[in-house]
Amino acid sequence: MSDRPRLLPLLGPTGHAGRSAMTCLYRCGNACDHPVPNESDNPYFGDVVSAEVTRRGVVRAGAVGALVLGFGATAAGTLAGAAPA
């Protein structure tokens, strides 16, 4: 006989097709416990983003943004130095 206390039937492996809750968590991510997130004919947001956004595009946009901020700060400093006090 084990030293562990016996769980009540309500807290046991219910809703997991007889599997342990931990087995379901690590094997399928509890897919059977989650409702279907998108029941419409619209595409998933993750699919739309992955089709349109790439890593190179994000890096390129970040580099362009950093250049714009750098040039903007330089221009603002130049204009601030030229303005009469």
Side-chain angles (χ1 to χ4, degrees):
M1 191 167 213
S2 69
D3 292 335
R4 292 180 33 192
R6 186 168 182 223
L7 298 176
L8 295 174
L10 295 175
L11 300 176
T14 59
H16 296 280
R19 290 184 183 156
S20 164
M22 296 307 287
T23 302
C24 248
L25 174 68
Y26 291 118
R27 283 215 174 163
C28 66
N30 284 336
C32 56
D33 285 346
H34 303 298
V36 177
N38 187 7
E39 296 177 352
S40 68
D41 292 336
N42 300 330
Y44 289 100
F45 182 72
D47 295 340
V48 173
V49 170
S50 66
E52 297 296 326
V53 178
T54 62
R55 276 186 253 162
R56 287 184 182 181
V58 171
V59 170
R60 187 176 298 131
V64 169
L67 286 173
V68 167
L69 286 174
F71 285 133
T74 302
T78 303
L79 291 176

